[in-house]
Amino acid sequence: MIGKKFTVLILRNMIYSKQKHFNEFLNSIEGINLNTLSTRLREMEKNQLIERRIFHEIPVRIEYTLTEKGKDLIPIIEQMGAFSMKHAPEIFKNSKASSFQELCGRDPASL
């Protein structure tokens, strides 16, 4: 369910950056394109990890939120982050240095 490229990054952004909209994901996940993002969101919805809500406004607004099943992945994603921080901290480097504490709001030792 979460093994395909970009799925974990979308979930990460939903959890820690509180992103809910297609363009937020598109603009914040390096290397993802429109088709891949659309496909991953559909797959995650099909697997009941996220819920898609359509707001009939002008323009139409669509929001993606985690389901309870999706929220059950939070400890797993945090464990993956703690493992990565310990064994490959360079992947957390971007335009500014990040730590597990900054990303998750707690010490990885608490996991």
Side-chain angles (χ1 to χ4, degrees), residues 66-96:
L66 288 174
T67 62
E68 287 303 312
K69 184 176 181 180
K71 289 176 185 175
D72 286 344
L73 288 169
I74 292 172
I76 296 165
I77 291 170
E78 288 182 350
Q79 286 288 335
M80 291 169 64
F83 178 88
S84 297
M85 184 58 83
K86 180 176 180 181
H87 297 287
E90 67 278 1
I91 67 171
F92 284 86
K93 304 281 188 248
N94 48 32
S95 57
K96 65 176 191 133

Short mmCIF file of all heavy atoms in Angstrom, two decimals, residues 66-96:
data_model
loop_
_atom_site.label_atom_id
_atom_site.label_comp_id
_atom_site.label_asym_id
_atom_site.label_seq_id
_atom_site.Cartn_x
_atom_site.Cartn_y
_atom_site.Cartn_z
N LEU A 66 -6.43 12.07 5.82
CA LEU A 66 -6.16 10.71 6.25
C LEU A 66 -7.41 10.07 6.85
O LEU A 66 -8.14 10.72 7.59
CB LEU A 66 -5.06 10.69 7.31
CG LEU A 66 -3.64 10.99 6.87
CD1 LEU A 66 -2.73 11.08 8.08
CD2 LEU A 66 -3.13 9.94 5.91
N THR A 67 -7.61 8.81 6.55
CA THR A 67 -8.64 8.03 7.22
C THR A 67 -8.03 7.45 8.50
O THR A 67 -6.84 7.61 8.76
CB THR A 67 -9.10 6.87 6.32
OG1 THR A 67 -7.97 6.02 6.09
CG2 THR A 67 -9.67 7.37 5.00
N GLU A 68 -8.84 6.76 9.27
CA GLU A 68 -8.29 6.09 10.47
C GLU A 68 -7.24 5.07 10.07
O GLU A 68 -6.22 4.94 10.73
CB GLU A 68 -9.41 5.43 11.28
CG GLU A 68 -10.28 6.42 12.04
CD GLU A 68 -9.48 7.30 12.99
OE1 GLU A 68 -8.64 6.77 13.75
OE2 GLU A 68 -9.69 8.53 12.95
N LYS A 69 -7.48 4.37 8.98
CA LYS A 69 -6.51 3.41 8.48
C LYS A 69 -5.20 4.12 8.12
O LYS A 69 -4.12 3.64 8.44
CB LYS A 69 -7.08 2.69 7.26
CG LYS A 69 -6.22 1.59 6.70
CD LYS A 69 -6.97 0.92 5.54
CE LYS A 69 -6.19 -0.21 4.93
NZ LYS A 69 -6.94 -0.84 3.82
N GLY A 70 -5.30 5.27 7.48
CA GLY A 70 -4.11 6.05 7.15
C GLY A 70 -3.39 6.55 8.38
O GLY A 70 -2.16 6.55 8.44
N LYS A 71 -4.14 6.96 9.39
CA LYS A 71 -3.53 7.44 10.63
C LYS A 71 -2.79 6.33 11.35
O LYS A 71 -1.82 6.60 12.07
CB LYS A 71 -4.60 8.04 11.56
CG LYS A 71 -5.14 9.36 11.06
CD LYS A 71 -6.26 9.88 11.93
CE LYS A 71 -6.86 11.14 11.35
NZ LYS A 71 -8.03 11.61 12.10
N ASP A 72 -3.21 5.09 11.14
CA ASP A 72 -2.50 3.96 11.74
C ASP A 72 -1.09 3.80 11.18
O ASP A 72 -0.27 3.10 11.77
CB ASP A 72 -3.28 2.66 11.54
CG ASP A 72 -4.51 2.56 12.43
OD1 ASP A 72 -4.62 3.34 13.41
OD2 ASP A 72 -5.38 1.71 12.15
N LEU A 73 -0.80 4.45 10.07
CA LEU A 73 0.55 4.41 9.48
C LEU A 73 1.52 5.40 10.14
O LEU A 73 2.73 5.30 9.92
CB LEU A 73 0.48 4.71 7.98
CG LEU A 73 -0.10 3.61 7.11
CD1 LEU A 73 -0.37 4.14 5.71
CD2 LEU A 73 0.82 2.41 7.07
N ILE A 74 1.02 6.33 10.93
CA ILE A 74 1.89 7.36 11.52
C ILE A 74 3.06 6.76 12.29
O ILE A 74 4.20 7.15 12.06
CB ILE A 74 1.08 8.36 12.36
CG1 ILE A 74 0.17 9.19 11.43
CG2 ILE A 74 2.00 9.28 13.17
CD1 ILE A 74 -0.82 10.08 12.15
N PRO A 75 2.85 5.79 13.19
CA PRO A 75 4.00 5.22 13.90
C PRO A 75 5.00 4.55 12.96
O PRO A 75 6.21 4.60 13.19
CB PRO A 75 3.39 4.20 14.87
CG PRO A 75 1.95 4.49 14.92
CD PRO A 75 1.59 5.23 13.68
N ILE A 76 4.51 3.95 11.90
CA ILE A 76 5.40 3.30 10.93
C ILE A 76 6.24 4.34 10.20
O ILE A 76 7.46 4.18 10.05
CB ILE A 76 4.58 2.44 9.94
CG1 ILE A 76 3.89 1.30 10.70
CG2 ILE A 76 5.45 1.93 8.80
CD1 ILE A 76 2.80 0.62 9.94
N ILE A 77 5.61 5.41 9.77
CA ILE A 77 6.33 6.48 9.07
C ILE A 77 7.34 7.13 10.01
O ILE A 77 8.46 7.45 9.61
CB ILE A 77 5.33 7.49 8.48
CG1 ILE A 77 4.58 6.81 7.33
CG2 ILE A 77 6.04 8.75 8.00
CD1 ILE A 77 3.41 7.58 6.80
N GLU A 78 6.99 7.29 11.27
CA GLU A 78 7.93 7.85 12.25
C GLU A 78 9.11 6.91 12.46
O GLU A 78 10.25 7.36 12.57
CB GLU A 78 7.22 8.16 13.56
CG GLU A 78 6.32 9.36 13.44
CD GLU A 78 5.63 9.73 14.74
OE1 GLU A 78 5.69 8.96 15.72
OE2 GLU A 78 5.02 10.81 14.76
N GLN A 79 8.86 5.61 12.51
CA GLN A 79 9.96 4.65 12.64
C GLN A 79 10.88 4.70 11.42
O GLN A 79 12.10 4.64 11.55
CB GLN A 79 9.42 3.23 12.82
CG GLN A 79 8.85 2.95 14.17
CD GLN A 79 9.92 2.84 15.23
OE1 GLN A 79 11.07 2.53 14.97
NE2 GLN A 79 9.54 3.13 16.47
N MET A 80 10.29 4.82 10.24
CA MET A 80 11.08 4.94 9.02
C MET A 80 11.93 6.21 9.06
O MET A 80 13.10 6.20 8.67
CB MET A 80 10.17 4.93 7.79
CG MET A 80 9.51 3.59 7.55
SD MET A 80 8.21 3.63 6.32
CE MET A 80 9.12 4.07 4.85
N GLY A 81 11.35 7.30 9.55
CA GLY A 81 12.09 8.56 9.67
C GLY A 81 13.23 8.44 10.67
O GLY A 81 14.33 8.93 10.41
N ALA A 82 12.98 7.80 11.80
CA ALA A 82 14.02 7.63 12.81
C ALA A 82 15.16 6.76 12.27
O ALA A 82 16.34 7.07 12.47
CB ALA A 82 13.43 7.00 14.08
N PHE A 83 14.82 5.70 11.55
CA PHE A 83 15.83 4.84 10.94
C PHE A 83 16.66 5.63 9.93
O PHE A 83 17.89 5.55 9.92
CB PHE A 83 15.15 3.65 10.25
CG PHE A 83 16.12 2.74 9.55
CD1 PHE A 83 16.72 1.70 10.22
CD2 PHE A 83 16.43 2.94 8.21
CE1 PHE A 83 17.61 0.86 9.58
CE2 PHE A 83 17.33 2.11 7.56
CZ PHE A 83 17.92 1.07 8.24
N SER A 84 15.98 6.40 9.09
CA SER A 84 16.69 7.20 8.08
C SER A 84 17.58 8.24 8.72
O SER A 84 18.70 8.47 8.25
CB SER A 84 15.67 7.87 7.16
OG SER A 84 14.93 6.91 6.45
N MET A 85 17.11 8.88 9.77
CA MET A 85 17.91 9.91 10.43
C MET A 85 19.17 9.30 11.03
O MET A 85 20.24 9.90 10.98
CB MET A 85 17.08 10.59 11.53
CG MET A 85 17.81 11.73 12.20
SD MET A 85 18.34 13.02 11.07
CE MET A 85 16.88 13.97 10.93
N LYS A 86 19.05 8.08 11.54
CA LYS A 86 20.21 7.43 12.14
C LYS A 86 21.20 6.92 11.09
O LYS A 86 22.41 7.07 11.24
CB LYS A 86 19.74 6.26 13.01
CG LYS A 86 20.87 5.51 13.69
CD LYS A 86 20.34 4.42 14.61
CE LYS A 86 21.49 3.68 15.29
NZ LYS A 86 20.97 2.62 16.16
N HIS A 87 20.67 6.33 10.02
CA HIS A 87 21.54 5.64 9.07
C HIS A 87 21.79 6.39 7.77
O HIS A 87 22.71 6.01 7.03
CB HIS A 87 20.97 4.26 8.76
CG HIS A 87 20.93 3.38 9.97
ND1 HIS A 87 22.06 2.82 10.53
CD2 HIS A 87 19.89 2.99 10.75
CE1 HIS A 87 21.72 2.12 11.59
NE2 HIS A 87 20.41 2.20 11.75
N ALA A 88 21.00 7.40 7.46
CA ALA A 88 21.19 8.17 6.22
C ALA A 88 20.73 9.61 6.44
O ALA A 88 19.81 10.08 5.78
CB ALA A 88 20.43 7.52 5.08
N PRO A 89 21.35 10.32 7.38
CA PRO A 89 20.88 11.67 7.71
C PRO A 89 20.95 12.65 6.55
O PRO A 89 20.24 13.65 6.55
CB PRO A 89 21.79 12.09 8.86
CG PRO A 89 23.00 11.23 8.73
CD PRO A 89 22.52 9.93 8.13
N GLU A 90 21.76 12.34 5.54
CA GLU A 90 21.88 13.25 4.40
C GLU A 90 20.57 13.42 3.64
O GLU A 90 20.36 14.45 2.99
CB GLU A 90 23.00 12.79 3.46
CG GLU A 90 22.74 11.49 2.73
CD GLU A 90 23.05 10.23 3.54
OE1 GLU A 90 23.47 10.31 4.71
OE2 GLU A 90 22.87 9.13 2.98
N ILE A 91 19.65 12.46 3.74
CA ILE A 91 18.39 12.61 3.01
C ILE A 91 17.48 13.66 3.65
O ILE A 91 16.52 14.09 3.03
CB ILE A 91 17.62 11.27 2.86
CG1 ILE A 91 17.15 10.75 4.20
CG2 ILE A 91 18.46 10.26 2.12
CD1 ILE A 91 16.22 9.56 4.09
N PHE A 92 17.80 14.08 4.86
CA PHE A 92 17.02 15.12 5.52
C PHE A 92 17.54 16.51 5.19
O PHE A 92 16.99 17.50 5.62
CB PHE A 92 17.00 14.91 7.04
CG PHE A 92 16.08 13.80 7.46
CD1 PHE A 92 16.54 12.49 7.48
CD2 PHE A 92 14.78 14.05 7.82
CE1 PHE A 92 15.70 11.46 7.86
CE2 PHE A 92 13.93 13.03 8.20
CZ PHE A 92 14.40 11.72 8.22
N LYS A 93 18.62 16.58 4.45
CA LYS A 93 19.20 17.87 4.10
C LYS A 93 18.50 18.41 2.86
O LYS A 93 18.35 17.72 1.87
CB LYS A 93 20.70 17.75 3.82
CG LYS A 93 21.48 17.15 4.96
CD LYS A 93 21.75 18.18 6.03
CE LYS A 93 22.70 17.62 7.08
NZ LYS A 93 22.11 17.40 8.34
N ASN A 94 18.06 19.63 2.94
CA ASN A 94 17.50 20.31 1.78
C ASN A 94 18.03 21.73 1.85
O ASN A 94 19.18 21.93 2.17
CB ASN A 94 15.97 20.23 1.77
CG ASN A 94 15.36 20.58 3.11
OD1 ASN A 94 15.88 21.40 3.84
ND2 ASN A 94 14.26 19.94 3.44
N SER A 95 17.22 22.70 1.58
CA SER A 95 17.71 24.07 1.66
C SER A 95 18.02 24.48 3.09
O SER A 95 18.72 25.43 3.34
CB SER A 95 16.68 25.03 1.05
OG SER A 95 15.45 24.90 1.71
N LYS A 96 17.48 23.72 4.04
CA LYS A 96 17.82 23.95 5.46
C LYS A 96 17.94 22.59 6.13
O LYS A 96 17.28 21.63 5.74
CB LYS A 96 16.76 24.80 6.15
CG LYS A 96 15.41 24.16 6.27
CD LYS A 96 14.44 25.02 7.06
CE LYS A 96 13.20 24.20 7.36
NZ LYS A 96 12.77 24.29 8.70
#
